[in-house]
Amino acid sequence: MRVIADETRVAALVDELTQAIAREMADARAAGDAAPWALIGIRSRGDDLARRMAVKLKPEQFGTLDITLYRDDLSEISSQPIVRPTEIPFSLDGLNVVLVDDVLMSGRSVRAALQLLMDLGRPKRVWLAVLVDRGRRELPIAPDHVALDLSGSARSRAARAAKPSLGRGGGELADAVDADELVLVKLKPTDDDDAIVVAPAKMKGAGAA
């Protein structure tokens, strides 16, 4: 297992992601969009990330989603999956929603989250913000904002970008990880420390997000 971002680096990445969303919110309001904003984190760790961002963003609403029962691989996870509460104590109708997750890979977790959101209401628009884009997508889902881009297509995007250091969604480019490696995000208070690490995919509990 190797560390690609320590606690200090994670803090900087979270701050960059927060600033990107703050600009999105400001631009929308400047354009006359008066709809309230909701920041919603996907359990687990997406909700930890969203809580940190909410301190500075101060959205009108904050919520968390547990997508366990909406996963298309539920039968492969466990015969008795642990389901934690979804906490959306407000109407989603007409809101600008920022959906937050820690790592985006296959896109299946985001698909499940979007399905759950649509079952709960009809937002005006949904943005997707992730700390890390791992790449290896299995569904046509792309993030609006990314802090660290490990998607593997960084070189081709950098060649076209006005700022070669920027990847998808304005995030920072980094070397792609190997196909047989897994990107794991550790965030307090779920974990003892903050870090982004790369580990063999065969590690217990490894899965696609």
Side-chain angles (χ1 to χ4, degrees):
M1 184 181 299
R2 70 179 189 276
V3 177
I4 59 176
D6 61 12
E7 187 160 333
T8 300
R9 186 77 187 102
V10 169
L13 291 170
V14 172
D15 188 56
E16 290 168 14
L17 190 60
T18 302
Q19 290 180 32
I21 296 171
R23 289 191 294 270
E24 189 83 62
M25 295 169 69
D27 289 347
R29 287 166 175 158
D33 185 350
W37 285 76
L39 199 64
I40 298 178
I42 302 174
R43 298 184 188 272
S44 62
R45 294 182 181 80
D47 55 340
D48 293 334
L49 177 59
R51 285 191 184 92
R52 294 190 191 186
M53 296 165 63
V55 173
K56 292 185 177 180
L57 292 174
K58 296 180 172 56
E60 285 86 350
Q61 302 290 353
F62 179 86
T64 61
L65 291 179
D66 188 291
I67 62 170
T68 303
L69 296 180
Y70 281 74
R71 294 180 64 105
D72 58 10
D73 60 351
L74 180 60
S75 62
E76 301 174 13
I77 298 175
S78 172
S79 58
Q80 295 181 319
I82 298 174
V83 180
R84 289 170 292 179
T86 283
E87 299 174 0
I88 308 289
F90 50 88
S91 172
L92 290 171
D93 294 346
L95 295 186
N96 287 319
V97 173
V98 179
L99 186 63
V100 180
D101 206 1
D102 57 343
V103 179
L104 174 62
M105 191 171 83
S106 70
R108 294 182 181 275
S109 292
V110 174
R111 180 214 60 79
L114 290 171
Q115 182 179 343
L116 176 51
L117 279 180
M118 296 307 113
D119 283 351
L120 295 174
R122 192 177 187 277
K124 180 177 182 180
R125 181 180 166 181
V126 179
W127 284 261
L128 175 61
V130 299
L131 190 63
V132 180
D133 185 351
R134 169 65 176 86
R136 301 187 67 194
R137 210 77 76 242
E138 297 174 3
L139 297 175
I141 290 174
D144 296 282
H145 297 289
V146 177
L148 186 63
D149 192 337
L150 302 173
S151 65
S153 55
R155 182 176 299 177
S156 62
R157 287 200 308 280
R160 300 191 303 268
K163 295 183 178 180
S165 63
L166 297 183
R168 186 193 305 276
E172 297 188 14
L173 294 175
D175 292 338
V177 294
D178 293 338
D180 61 348
E181 292 181 311
L182 181 71
V183 177
L184 302 173
V185 169
K186 298 182 179 182
L187 291 174
K188 299 174 184 175
T190 299
D191 303 288
D192 293 333
D193 55 6
D194 296 339
I196 301 174
V197 302
V198 176
K202 63 183 180 180
M203 281 186 61
K204 184 178 180 181

